[in-house]
Amino acid sequence: MEDKEGGKPGTAFTSESSWTFSGGGPDSVSSSVNYFFDKDSSILSEFADIVVRCSVSGTASNPGGSADVSTSNPSVSSSSSEDLPEKSTGSGGKLPEIPSKVRKKGQKQIRQPRFAFMTKSEVDHLEDGYRWRKYGQKAVKNSPFPRSYYRCTNSKCTVKKRVERSSEDPAIVITTYEGQHCHHGIAFPRGGLICHEAAFAGQLTPPVSQIYHPGVQSHRQMPPSITQSQPHQAPVDVGEPHPEPEPTSQLPTDEGLLGDIVPPGMRGR
DNA sequence: CGTTTTTGACCCGCGC
DNA sequence: GCGCGGGTCAAAAACG
């Protein structure tokens, strides 16, 4: 599967996008964003340190994204920061000899910085510039949609990603990144670099302001990312495969979305 | 042939 | 203490 072209996955959104970003944990979440999926918010808050909620689309329930963002909320959990000591991600755990897998899980793995955001997209797996390998899928209790677990293909990188659809809105994809990439991005054979979004994903720690890079698009060298049931997304397209990052205008793909996620306030900063 | 996806099973943490 | 839900691993299959 590799890449088929990352085509442009979904893109149904075009209208305005409203973003709500909250950093610093649940507190902020509750305070700033709540108009869209309450439930989700709880979920997100659960996730964690940073939660970025983006609702794109049509519903436009948002007044304009202009503001709710607390703006600078660099409070992005400082705690998690830094690189976590390492996680072996459970993988290391499975020792063939040990009857009971002693995974890190047992040790209560250290919580890695997590970053969750919601995206309205048809595809579940959003491209962020990194290569991910799916290692599991599980049915979620409250949602008819299964949750997929991805891990960065870089052997040295232990970043994980969780993708699930909102039970409230199937169109909303909740992506949660966990951990930080220890590599710059993937240098795909095609020669692309990584998009900042990816970086953003990997740097959950730093101030959000840096996280978002609207201008950056990606050169999708990654697989379409359609996982699971979705055979292939409709060729929506809007964009061209040009490697040149566009100023965030119309981001055709999810990645674009990511790039677009930047709340107005943040962009400036 | 190599890599990724799929699927079932196992284990752990938490709540009741 | 038991059950439920969530998260991860591993083997097999599929795909490029």
Side-chain angles (χ1 to χ4, degrees):
Chain A
M1 334 201 140
E2 311 230 45
D3 46 47
K4 330 186 106 252
E5 162 304 273
K8 22 266 359 297
T11 346
F13 44 81
T14 22
S15 326
E16 46 196 313
S17 27
S18 11
W19 303 95
T20 354
F21 159 73
S22 30
D27 297 285
S28 334
V29 176
S30 44
S31 57
S32 35
V33 267
N34 266 341
Y35 16 68
F36 226 44
F37 311 85
D38 286 341
K39 288 171 139 198
D40 288 319
S41 56
S42 33
I43 296 172
L44 295 174
S45 46
E46 192 177 281
F47 288 152
D49 295 322
I50 311 174
V51 180
V52 175
R53 305 163 49 116
C54 44
S55 12
V56 189
S57 98
T59 5
S61 30
N62 184 15
S66 37
D68 313 27
V69 183
S70 314
T71 346
S72 16
N73 228 350
S75 35
V76 199
S77 68
S78 27
S79 42
S80 28
S81 51
E82 314 271 342
D83 32 43
L84 312 123
E86 95 256 16
K87 28 252 326 339
S88 41
T89 27
S91 56
K94 220 157 192 173
L95 296 177
E97 300 192 350
I98 299 177
S100 38
K101 336 175 151 196
V102 187
R103 326 176 176 178
K104 283 254 172 98
K105 243 178 181 180
Q107 303 184 22
K108 199 128 196 178
Q109 44 201 64
I110 299 160
R111 243 221 227 236
Q112 308 194 5
R114 293 198 211 176
F115 183 99
F117 61 88
M118 295 162 62
T119 314
K120 183 156 196 170
S121 168
E122 294 179 28
V123 290
D124 296 355
H125 189 181
L126 307 181
E127 289 185 26
D128 51 18
Y130 284 92
R131 290 252 282 189
W132 301 92
R133 185 170 40 168
K134 188 175 187 176
Y135 66 88
Q137 182 175 310
K138 261 276 191 151
V140 187
K141 200 51 197 281
N142 298 315
S143 174
F145 306 100
R147 177 180 296 164
S148 300
Y149 300 90
Y150 297 87
R151 175 176 290 163
C152 184
T153 53
N154 188 313
S155 53
K156 295 190 269 192
C157 186
T158 55
V159 179
K160 285 180 271 190
K161 184 160 93 170
R162 214 173 316 168
V163 180
E164 64 183 288
R165 280 187 178 278
S166 169
S167 53
E168 286 292 303
D169 243 322
I172 302 289
V173 178
I174 301 173
T175 305
T176 305
Y177 287 94
E178 187 172 330
Q180 297 180 44
H181 288 283
C182 57
H183 52 108
H184 269 219
I186 15 171
F188 279 95
R190 284 188 183 176
L193 280 195
I194 311 189
C195 30
H196 293 57
E197 281 100 307
F200 117 92
Q203 312 184 21
L204 327 164
T205 339
V208 196
S209 31
Q210 299 189 351
I211 298 179
Y212 297 107
H213 288 270
V216 188
Q217 263 203 33
S218 44
H219 326 286
R220 45 201 75 227
Q221 18 238 339
M222 307 208 14
S225 4
I226 296 166
T227 46
Q228 342 188 131
S229 4
Q230 314 225 354
H232 216 333
Q233 254 343 286
V236 187
D237 92 309
V238 194
E240 50 266 277
H242 275 226
E244 271 308 271
E246 293 225 284
T248 63
S249 320
Q250 55 249 30
L251 303 162
T253 59
D254 300 347
E255 2 181 9
L257 223 175
L258 286 175
D260 207 5
I261 324 190
V262 189
M266 306 219 124
R267 294 188 179 190
R269 316 184 46 120

